[in-house]
Amino acid sequence: MRSLLASLAAAAAMLVAPGLAGAQSYPERDITIVVPFSAGGPTDTVTRLVAEAMSKDLGRQIIVENVGGAGGTLGAGRVADAEPDGYTLLLHHIGMATSATLYRSLPYDTLDAFEYVGLVTEVPMTIVARKDLEPADLAGLIEYAKANADTVTVANAGIGAASHLCGMLFMSAIETPLVTVPYQGTGPAMQDLLGGQVDIMCDQTTNTTKQIQGGTIKAYAVTSAERLDVLPDIPTAIEGGLADFQVGIWHGLYAPKGTPAEIVERLSQSLQVALANENVAARFAELGTTPSPKEDATPAALKAKLEGEIARWKPVIDAAGQYAD
Ligand code: ASP
């Protein structure tokens, strides 16, 4: 009897051992974080800052791969299908929640295809325009947009992207649909805004602060409740006349469903180390954002956020009745 139990225990250990061994020695090679938007945009910027600090903590290179398209759903789909071994991760924003309703058929089940590592940061948006757009302030912009609705172009990163969401909120607040121009991320959209090929964009401060400070684009409003320390002269949208116009874009780090819990836990610890890094905090501050606190850089906090945000946006999107597919 004893020997039967012993051999069962040994067999069980053999079954468990490879996974555990992998988890204990993790990471044994370089890790890839998929950014579901183009290089040079806000999600990319946040990811590269965090990846650099996590890479030091984990002792391995972290490669950032940009898989843009369809408002972030292509990159998310890539990670949903990846090996759940901790070597392919996803850094996505609020679009993870909104696309769950905006796309009636997604190639993955948003709440069932991922493990949650933790929240990363929350970033305000800015309503910006090409440098030579005439209106001097938000009230003027609204008047101008209403008068030129057929020709005013608004850049976004595809349906489900934060810029799409913010642009939609703006158009609905001014009760005027404008011409939308989709990109694979707001990195390339910014290039077109700088070049004057597109008129307006609503995008994260992580993509717009430097350009606003340098005077290469025009800023009409920030979408936070209060003005930002890094952009003290830019009024909030609420001050500019758009009551209740507040948009904050949160980011989360995910792994494919089935990634061993020990690995997810290790990644979460590493994310917390990265977010506590002084250099990361300083760079985030320069870009108008703050790292998520330690208690939010956890699987439970990200899971709760995603579930809450899907529930929050679903009725809004369903009421608008505008889907991506
Ligand atoms: N800011 C983009 C968005 O609209 C995404 C990006 O390019 O990072 O969601």
Side-chain angles (χ1 to χ4, degrees):
M1 185 63 177
R2 184 177 282 171
S3 70
L4 180 61
L5 278 179
S7 19
L8 279 175
M14 278 174 70
L15 281 176
V16 169
L20 264 188
Q24 274 155 10
S25 51
Y26 175 83
E28 292 175 301
R29 55 189 167 84
D30 295 349
I31 297 166
T32 296
I33 301 185
V34 170
V35 166
F37 297 103
S38 318
T43 315
D44 184 67
T45 300
V46 163
T47 306
R48 284 176 199 273
L49 285 170
V50 169
E52 198 188 327
M54 283 182 70
S55 155
K56 284 197 188 111
D57 178 61
L58 292 165
R60 293 284 167 185
Q61 284 262 99
I62 299 185
I63 298 143
V64 175
E65 189 184 346
N66 299 88
V67 183
T73 60
L74 291 185
R78 164 83 73 87
V79 177
D81 289 343
E83 242 355 270
D85 55 8
Y87 293 99
T88 308
L89 309 174
L90 171 73
L91 203 146
H92 202 343
H93 61 29
I94 190 173
M96 186 80 154
T98 51
S99 53
T101 304
L102 280 164
Y103 290 77
R104 282 164 296 191
S105 111
L106 275 177
Y108 54 88
D109 177 338
T110 305
L111 284 174
D112 200 42
F114 302 94
E115 304 291 345
Y116 305 90
V117 177
L119 280 159
V120 178
T121 182
E122 176 143 341
V123 192
M125 302 289 272
T126 46
I127 301 176
V128 294
R130 63 180 159 81
K131 192 177 153 188
D132 52 357
L133 200 74
E134 286 158 38
D137 56 18
L138 189 61
L141 176 69
I142 295 169
E143 208 176 298
Y144 177 86
K146 281 178 184 264
N148 300 282
D150 292 347
T151 53
V152 173
T153 49
V154 187
N156 70 36
I159 295 186
S163 45
H164 167 249
L165 190 69
C166 188
M168 293 283 291
L169 288 174
F170 178 67
M171 290 183 244
S172 122
I174 67 168
E175 295 172 351
T176 310
L178 304 169
V179 184
T180 55
V181 184
Y183 292 79
Q184 295 211 343
T186 46
M190 175 58 82
Q191 293 311 311
D192 275 7
L193 201 69
L194 289 167
Q197 285 94 354
V198 68
D199 297 322
I200 303 176
M201 176 162 70
C202 184
D203 203 27
Q204 288 105 305
T205 53
T206 25
N207 196 27
T208 59
T209 301
K210 286 270 136 59
Q211 317 285 3
I212 296 170
Q213 288 168 338
T216 51
I217 58 173
K218 207 166 202 170
Y220 288 104
V222 293
T223 68
S224 39
E226 308 287 335
R227 290 192 185 204
L228 301 175
D229 288 348
V230 285
L231 297 169
D233 300 332
I234 313 301
T236 65
I238 299 167
E239 278 178 72
L242 294 180
D244 299 334
F245 198 96
Q246 256 192 69
V247 194
I249 302 305
W250 54 274
H251 296 253
L253 184 62
Y254 305 82
K257 184 82 177 181
T259 304
E262 297 81 355
I263 291 181
V264 173
E265 186 50 39
R266 178 72 189 93
L267 285 166
S268 182
Q269 280 165 10
S270 184
L271 175 64
Q272 290 166 18
V273 169
L275 295 179
N277 179 300
E278 275 177 23
N279 185 40
V280 172
R283 290 283 293 121
F284 272 17
E286 281 169 19
L287 296 169
T289 182
T290 41
S292 294
K294 189 174 177 201
E295 61 275 19
D296 287 350
T298 56
L302 177 56
K303 183 172 191 285
K305 181 77 171 179
L306 182 65
E307 287 171 353
E309 287 281 278
I310 290 176
R312 176 178 163 221
W313 285 103
K314 187 173 177 1
V316 178
I317 296 164
D318 284 340
Q322 290 180 13
Y323 302 97
D325 53 4

